[in-house]
Amino acid sequence: MKDKDQRAYQMLKDNQLSVTDSRKNILGLFLHSEGALAHADIEKKTGEKFDRVTVYRTLQAFMEKGIIHTIPTADNSIRYALCKDDCTEGHHHDNHVHFICTVCNRTTCLASVTVPEVELPRGFKLTDRQMIVTGICIDCR
Amino acid sequence: MKDKDQRAYQMLKDNQLSVTDSRKNILGLFLHSEGALAHADIEKKTGEKFDRVTVYRTLQAFMEKGIIHTIPTADNSIRYALCKDDCTEGHHHDNHVHFICTVCNRTTCLASVTVPEVELPRGFKLTDRQMIVTGICIDCR
DNA sequence: GTAACTGCAAAATATTTGCATCCTT
DNA sequence: AAGGATGCAAATATTTTGCAGTTAC
């Protein structure tokens, strides 16, 4: 717990973000939780301690610094997840598969499963690829 | 043009949906356009002829019948695309890669590129997998 | 004729912006 | 002290719901 707090502090520093209560808390959430978080999860898990607007702005700041990224989901909801350490501002190397459980609705990063390469038709230029697998997770089985 | 109208009519019939102006028009849009459409695209391309609510309900009806499906995107926006013929109600076999162009922002179905298989960790059960590739499309190159 | 679909109004949600105040550095 | 971050209010945008009138079959 303590070391995660320490780590959050360091990450904020490293990214030239001023260290505030909301940022420490929200970044801490990401460090503590396995999978991805939706905006609503964050509000809930922080006990609505922070203004909705602050959460939006905090997430946006994290995105701009490349600390987190969005995971596309077939249903409307956007989820956010920590980027890997080698994410630089604007470009992600977050090349593992994401798993969405249809039972508990949680999004898990399958860090051990790499997104496979694909061959695109002639003329298409690839900059990023994502893979979302839906099913039942190990906890809901 | 005429045959596409005919096809829209038949598809509605086949799915036990009553044939109305909005349904014919919106389904026609999907049949005429290559890629995927966002809600806003549909409103624009029908010239706001139909109520926003009707568009929502039409898309929902198509979804329930398995005529269209959603494509997840990293930015918030949901896009809809025609399912392949072998989609049955509730279950899709729409196993091609989707491509989102960062220049024109259009979503294209890469029908020739199949979503690769993945091996999941023990205990995870797969029901569906999607792959979204971002980059620059052949028209924007 | 009946059931289903549409459009309008309005409610419920989600997201963005402006600004005064407070906190970090 | 100064610049940035927060919280509140309010403006926008998006999606859903109820209901009366209209249309498909």
Side-chain angles (χ1 to χ4, degrees), chain A residues 18 20 22-23 50-51 53-54 57-58 76:
Chain A
S18 46
T20 66
S22 59
R23 286 176 182 172
F50 306 106
D51 195 273
V53 177
T54 301
R57 288 196 270 225
T58 303
N76 206 359

Side-chain angles (χ1 to χ4, degrees), chain B residues 10-117:
Chain B
Q10 198 49 247
M11 286 177 73
L12 291 172
K13 278 296 178 195
D14 289 349
N15 286 282
Q16 293 132 49
L17 288 171
S18 46
V19 179
T20 66
D21 218 30
S22 58
R23 286 175 180 173
K24 262 187 301 185
N25 270 267
I26 294 173
L27 185 49
L29 271 188
F30 281 109
L31 290 170
H32 286 297
S33 65
E34 284 302 293
L37 299 170
H39 184 103
D41 296 329
I42 294 166
E43 285 197 74
K44 209 173 303 156
K45 293 203 177 190
T46 51
E48 273 118 11
K49 193 173 162 188
F50 306 107
D51 194 274
R52 190 182 293 274
V53 177
T54 301
V55 176
Y56 278 111
R57 288 196 270 225
T58 303
L59 291 172
Q60 197 178 296
F62 288 174
M63 292 265 287
E64 279 164 10
K65 294 298 185 178
I67 299 175
I68 59 172
H69 66 282
T70 54
I71 300 171
T73 60
D75 66 320
N76 205 0
S77 65
I78 330 171
R79 324 243 172 144
Y80 304 86
L82 275 184
C83 290
K84 290 311 190 60
D85 296 333
D86 55 359
C87 274
T88 57
E89 206 162 319
H91 197 70
H92 300 296
H93 302 281
D94 181 54
N95 53 1
H96 58 265
V97 170
H98 290 109
F99 186 91
I100 301 175
C101 177
T102 51
V103 178
C104 64
N105 207 38
R106 282 185 307 170
T107 304
T108 314
C109 298
L110 300 180
S112 62
V113 185
T114 306
V115 177
E117 303 271 343

Side-chain angles (χ1 to χ4, degrees), chain A residues 63 70-73 78-79 128 130, chain B residues 71-77 100 132 134:
Chain A
M63 292 265 287
T70 54
I71 299 171
T73 60
I78 329 173
R79 324 243 172 143
D128 184 55
Q130 295 224 41
Chain B
I71 300 171
T73 60
D75 66 320
N76 205 0
S77 65
I100 301 175
I132 301 101
T134 317

Side-chain angles (χ1 to χ4, degrees), chain A residues 27-98:
Chain A
L27 185 48
L29 270 189
F30 281 109
L31 290 169
H32 286 297
S33 64
E34 285 300 295
L37 299 169
H39 184 103
D41 297 330
I42 294 166
E43 285 197 74
K44 209 175 299 155
K45 294 203 174 187
T46 51
E48 272 117 13
K49 193 174 165 189
F50 306 106
D51 195 273
R52 191 183 292 275
V53 177
T54 301
V55 176
Y56 278 114
R57 288 196 270 225
T58 303
L59 291 172
Q60 197 178 296
F62 289 174
M63 292 265 287
E64 280 165 10
K65 294 298 184 181
I67 298 175
I68 59 172
H69 67 281
T70 54
I71 299 171
T73 60
D75 67 320
N76 206 359
S77 66
I78 329 173
R79 324 243 172 143
Y80 303 87
L82 275 184
C83 290
K84 289 313 190 56
D85 295 333
D86 55 358
C87 274
T88 58
E89 206 163 318
H91 196 72
H92 302 295
H93 302 279
D94 180 57
N95 51 2
H96 58 263
V97 170
H98 290 110

Side-chain angles (χ1 to χ4, degrees), chain A residues 107-122:
Chain A
T107 304
T108 313
C109 297
L110 301 180
S112 62
V113 186
T114 306
V115 177
E117 302 272 343
V118 279
E119 179 97 10
L120 296 185
R122 194 160 272 292

